[in-house]
Amino acid sequence: MKKDLMLLVFFVSVLIIVSNVSAYKLYCLNYGQSLPSQQNPRYTCFHDVCQVCTTDSNNPTHPGYCNDAGNCQVFGDGGNVDMELPVITLISPVDDGVYRSRNVLFDIRVNEPSSLSYIDNINGRGVIKNIASNTRSYTRELNFKDGENDITIYAKDRNGNRAEVNVVFFVDSKNPKIVKSFPMKGFSNGAFRVEFIEKNPKNLKISYGNEETGFRNSNLDLDECVISKGKHICSIDVNLNDYDGQNINYWFDLEDISGKTAKSKIIEVSVDAVDPILLNPNNFWSQGEGVNIRNVNFNFEINEDNFNEITYIDNEDANRRERKICSKLKENKCVKKISFRNGHHELDIFMKDKAGNVHTENIVFHV
């Protein structure tokens, strides 16, 4: 009875071992073949030849189960020639994106193991740079220059099939900088100017006012700015009539395309929004007679608390240079005699205050 039991156990063990051995297979795969199938690629060979231990259902399993399997058997028909291009999915950078740092994240996905490279079409001098090999994904920051960047990314699989994708993006890593704003002190009649350094400006506005009358703002047209020696010079005229005779604060705010901002120094100025008033417009000048015909006698009577100067330009003069008549008033008057050479004369006369307001008169005479 004991002998019969031992024989039974022995035969069952042999059957289990035989069953286990027959349950595993050792396959030889060529590059690109997948187990258990191409449609269900739980394992894909990325070498010239791969030995894979599988179950009866061709699912990869622990190699130890195939220690006694002997030589591997060819899987399927030995594989097909891959003629399809890799499929690139570019997550970052995005087309027409703007990046605040020169280190730009490259997040690339490929549907099959591939070698990745890129070429910088603007700054790369035609050199292709390799960034990864035999990979399905790449996530790393790469360094690029400020400004526009035009990049072509390549993915090449084991069989030499190469796909490409192009992306254009912008790098703006430098903070905008407002250099100066005018007037820097004194008076204003509503004319303001600002100078700033920024290659990619997006918005520029001026804010002005006081607690008494309130604060306002106005946008500047960046297309009307002048660029000189790397600086943008922008001007704007705002209506300050409501602030005439008051002090106001003003400042500029600048934003670039990447969202970085700069704010100018807050400056206080006095508002003078009214032109100087000429009180005797019909008799502020007269021409001499006889031997004094070369002389023009000026006698301006002006109402202006912030007087600056009176000048003139002779439009018949070849040089058309602005010349000064007087730079101060005495009891609101400017009295001056000026001699002119022979010929016809047309004078534009400018009465200016310190805020930049100007009253203009024109006279014509002949010597």
Side-chain angles (χ1 to χ4, degrees):
M1 189 71 178
K2 188 174 181 181
K3 280 186 178 183
D4 291 340
L5 183 59
M6 291 179 65
L7 285 172
L8 180 60
V9 171
F10 172 75
F11 283 117
V12 171
S13 300
V14 170
L15 286 173
I16 292 174
I17 292 172
V18 171
S19 176
N20 285 343
V21 169
S22 63
Y24 301 103
K25 292 173 285 188
L26 184 63
Y27 279 121
C28 293
L29 276 66
N30 293 328
Y31 180 87
Q33 284 189 292
S34 298
L35 290 170
S37 66
Q38 295 296 121
Q39 293 73 31
N40 182 24
R42 295 184 59 186
Y43 174 86
T44 301
C45 179
F46 299 134
H47 303 281
D48 292 334
V49 178
C50 302
Q51 291 189 9
V52 186
C53 184
T54 73
T55 64
D56 273 340
S57 57
N58 292 339
N59 286 312
T61 187
H62 193 280
Y65 292 134
C66 294
N67 287 340
D68 299 324
N71 295 329
C72 61
Q73 55 182 304
V74 176
F75 178 72
D77 58 3
N80 298 317
V81 177
D82 180 10
M83 300 295 292
E84 294 185 4
L85 301 181
V87 178
I88 304 172
T89 302
L90 182 61
I91 299 173
S92 177
V94 297
D95 212 27
D96 292 329
V98 179
Y99 297 88
R100 304 178 65 173
S101 170
R102 293 183 61 181
N103 295 321
V104 178
L105 176 65
F106 269 56
D107 191 348
I108 308 168
R109 310 296 166 85
V110 192
N111 69 327
E112 61 176 307
S114 303
S115 296
L116 299 178
S117 59
Y118 77 91
I119 184 170
D120 187 333
N121 298 308
I122 296 177
N123 304 307
R125 301 179 181 179
V127 178
I128 297 179
K129 294 185 177 181
N130 298 319
I131 55 176
S133 59
N134 195 30
T135 184
R136 288 176 179 263
S137 64
Y138 178 84
T139 306
R140 186 171 297 177
E141 290 183 344
L142 299 177
N143 188 270
F144 292 91
K145 291 186 177 181
D146 272 61
E148 184 181 50
N149 290 272
D150 185 341
I151 306 299
T152 301
I153 299 168
Y154 301 101
K156 185 170 69 173
D157 66 17
R158 175 68 177 239
N159 291 307
N161 303 304
R162 189 173 81 163
E164 66 180 61
V165 63
N166 188 258
V167 61
V168 177
F169 58 91
F170 296 84
V171 172
D172 188 354
S173 66
K174 297 179 180 178
N175 293 324
K177 181 180 180 182
I178 296 178
V179 181
K180 291 180 181 178
S181 51
F182 300 91
M184 300 180 69
K185 60 181 179 179
F187 296 87
S188 176
N189 64 350
F192 296 93
R193 190 172 88 248
V194 63
E195 297 179 3
F196 67 84
I197 299 174
E198 171 56 47
K199 288 186 177 181
N200 305 297
K202 181 181 179 182
N203 294 310
L204 177 64
K205 73 175 181 179
I206 182 173
S207 299
Y208 57 93
N210 55 33
E211 295 293 340
E212 178 183 352
T213 309
F215 286 88
R216 302 168 188 168
N217 59 69
S218 184
N219 292 320
L220 284 78
D221 188 347
L222 290 169
D223 292 334
E224 295 183 358
C225 297
V226 177
I227 301 177
S228 176
K229 297 180 180 179
K231 291 188 296 186
H232 286 73
I233 303 173
C234 311
S235 300
I236 188 172
D237 285 295
V238 298
N239 190 334
L240 296 180
N241 289 342
D242 291 349
Y243 301 93
D244 188 45
Q246 303 176 20
N247 287 353
I248 63 168
N249 291 323
Y250 83 90
W251 66 92
F252 289 93
D253 290 290
L254 173 65
E255 181 185 13
D256 66 17
I257 60 173
S258 69
K260 295 190 292 294
T261 60
K263 182 177 181 178
S264 71
K265 182 172 64 175
I266 298 175
I267 297 177
E268 183 179 10
V269 292
S270 299
V271 175
D272 183 348
V274 181
D275 294 342
I277 299 173
L278 180 61
L279 299 176
N280 56 337
N282 297 320
N283 58 354
F284 68 89
W285 74 284
S286 63
Q287 185 177 4
E289 299 178 353
V291 295
N292 296 317
I293 198 170
R294 294 169 58 90
N295 297 330
V296 173
N297 301 300
F298 292 105
N299 185 7
F300 298 93
E301 188 173 355
I302 296 175
N303 182 14
E304 175 55 59
D305 293 334
N306 305 308
F307 176 78
N308 185 17
E309 63 180 1
I310 302 175
T311 62
Y312 75 91
I313 293 177
D314 190 344
N315 293 299
E316 298 300 317
D317 191 338
N319 294 325
R320 295 193 77 252
R321 182 168 60 89
E322 188 172 7
R323 292 177 168 86
K324 187 176 294 187
I325 297 177
C326 60
S327 57
K328 61 182 179 178
L329 300 177
K330 186 175 182 180
E331 296 180 352
N332 292 334
K333 291 183 179 181
C334 165
V335 179
K336 189 71 173 287
K337 179 174 68 175
I338 299 177
S339 180
F340 293 86
R341 64 176 180 268
N342 291 341
H344 182 73
H345 298 272
E346 290 188 15
L347 270 59
D348 288 329
I349 300 173
F350 309 101
M351 286 149 270
K352 308 175 184 178
D353 65 20
K354 293 178 180 179
N357 301 302
V358 181
H359 176 82
T360 305
E361 295 285 344
N362 178 268
I363 65 173
V364 179
F365 59 92
H366 189 83
V367 175

